[in-house]
Amino acid sequence: MTLPPADFLPADWPLWSTSQPTLLKPLTQGLTNRSFLLAAGEDRLVLRLNSPISNALDLNRPAEAEALHLADTAGLCAPLVYCDPEYRYLVTRYISGTPLKLAGNTGIGQIAQLLRDIHRLPPIAAQLDIEQKIGSYWTSINTDDVFFESLRTLQRRVQSSIVATRNCASSPALCHNDLLADNLLISESGRLYAIDWEYAASGDPFYDLAVIAEGYDLDSAQQSQLLQQYLAQPVNNEEMARLDNWRVIYRYLSILWYAVQASNTDVDAEKQKFTAVLRREIEAIRKALSRSGH
């Protein structure tokens, strides 16, 4: 399968390939960016065309590039081939692998080790400022949307978690901030890689732990195991409470992300899809907040 170069290939491709790449297949895992698997001679590359609503999604492309260079040097991500200086697209080498699946506690130790390796990298200047990110998302959400008032009510309920994490004394670490299953790839050799670093920033490492806990729907025993493996010591109640607060914040940010998507599409089918997800997620976080006493 091939497409005319103008349809998917940047005109400046000779900057990163000695032969004109051809399309092997589109990669459709991403919800916002367009990605393609390319053949360039013997190489297999992934071309990611950046989302046209990157600003609405509060994406910091220079921070992503800085984090990728650090992670690439440490062998923690798909090897970096080219980062467009205008941040229109990104090219990496293709990792043949599958998303990491967890069965019981199997794989938790591997994730904990990857997190330690990421968090040991030098922090970058960009900071994960939760209140700034929430504010940025809100400026991109249509006040006429049906879910608007529900989101406002939720914000009041998650505020206590935001305050609690603000009061945690923690040195900022470089964090991936989007370590969902699709972004954790096990290669054919068994090595674990983190891909898609577009939300990378320095911040509280417990946010990365919270994303994993929520993304993999870990039960309390698995969450404790993850923390224990990551910290390499027994876990106390204060640490579990810190993780719980970041889980609440992550779920709220995820809901706002879907709201931004719904507000910034003119395609009815897309708006309906994101609105349906919003309804489910809002109901789920309401139940979780009620159980935890928020």
Side-chain angles (χ1 to χ4, degrees):
M1 176 183 181
T2 59
L3 290 177
D7 284 352
F8 77 103
L9 192 61
D12 59 357
W13 63 262
L15 293 175
W16 44 269
S17 180
T18 57
S19 59
Q20 181 168 315
T22 58
L23 178 67
L24 294 178
K25 64 178 180 179
L27 299 174
T28 58
Q29 290 93 338
L31 291 175
T32 54
N33 306 303
R34 296 168 60 208
S35 297
F36 304 92
L37 177 61
L38 308 179
E42 297 298 316
D43 294 329
R44 296 296 177 266
L45 307 175
V46 175
L47 165 67
R48 188 198 72 194
L49 303 181
N50 292 340
S51 169
I53 62 168
S54 291
N55 289 337
L57 293 172
D58 195 34
L59 296 177
N60 185 333
R61 297 298 185 186
E64 177 190 20
E66 186 179 357
L68 272 172
H69 280 97
L70 292 169
D72 184 28
T73 300
L76 303 178
C77 65
L80 187 61
V81 174
Y82 185 73
C83 184
D84 171 38
E86 296 181 14
Y87 307 110
R88 299 165 300 167
Y89 69 92
L90 180 74
V91 183
T92 62
R93 296 199 180 278
Y94 175 67
I95 295 176
S96 179
T98 56
L100 177 68
K101 295 182 180 179
L102 299 184
N105 287 337
T106 303
I108 286 181
Q110 202 167 4
I111 290 178
Q113 181 61 57
L114 177 67
L115 282 178
R116 285 197 298 271
D117 291 340
I118 291 172
H119 297 158
R120 288 183 185 127
L121 294 173
I124 62 177
Q127 299 279 326
L128 177 60
D129 183 326
I130 294 301
E131 287 163 295
Q132 179 275 328
K133 183 167 285 289
I134 288 173
S136 177
Y137 281 162
W138 273 108
T139 63
S140 301
I141 296 172
N142 191 335
T143 58
D144 295 329
D145 281 333
V146 294
F147 45 77
F148 185 85
E149 288 304 322
S150 295
L151 296 180
R152 280 295 188 201
T153 300
L154 273 182
Q155 179 158 340
R156 290 190 288 271
R157 297 185 69 180
V158 303
Q159 190 61 34
S160 61
S161 289
I162 294 172
V163 171
T165 57
R166 189 194 305 147
N167 293 333
C168 284
S170 177
S171 298
L174 174 60
C175 297
H176 182 285
N177 295 324
D178 195 26
L179 285 173
L180 301 173
D182 284 344
N183 292 337
L184 287 164
L185 290 188
I186 287 282
S187 70
E188 293 175 347
S189 67
R191 185 168 183 171
L192 183 60
Y193 293 91
I195 63 171
D196 291 347
W197 289 67
E198 61 187 353
Y199 290 96
S202 297
D204 190 332
F206 269 58
Y207 185 81
D208 269 344
L209 291 156
V211 175
I212 289 166
E214 286 298 303
Y216 281 99
D217 194 23
L218 301 185
D219 60 30
S220 57
Q222 290 172 313
Q223 291 172 38
S224 179
Q225 178 71 12
L226 174 63
L227 271 181
Q228 184 172 325
Q229 294 269 1
Y230 173 78
L231 297 171
Q233 64 184 32
V235 179
N236 59 39
N237 290 338
E238 181 179 338
E239 289 158 343
M240 289 300 296
R242 181 176 168 188
L243 178 63
D244 184 59
N245 282 316
W246 277 116
R247 287 170 55 218
V248 168
I249 293 169
Y250 166 70
R251 293 184 73 167
Y252 180 60
L253 286 176
S254 179
I255 285 170
L256 292 182
W257 185 91
Y258 280 109
V260 171
Q261 294 280 11
S263 289
N264 285 271
T265 180
D266 295 324
V267 180
D268 286 342
E270 289 292 304
K271 183 176 284 289
Q272 290 172 12
K273 178 183 72 174
F274 288 122
T275 301
V277 172
L278 274 167
R279 289 195 179 100
R280 292 196 303 270
E281 291 299 310
I282 288 172
E283 184 59 27
I285 195 173
R286 281 173 174 166
K287 291 179 179 178
L289 287 168
S290 296
R291 287 195 299 270
S292 62
H294 287 78

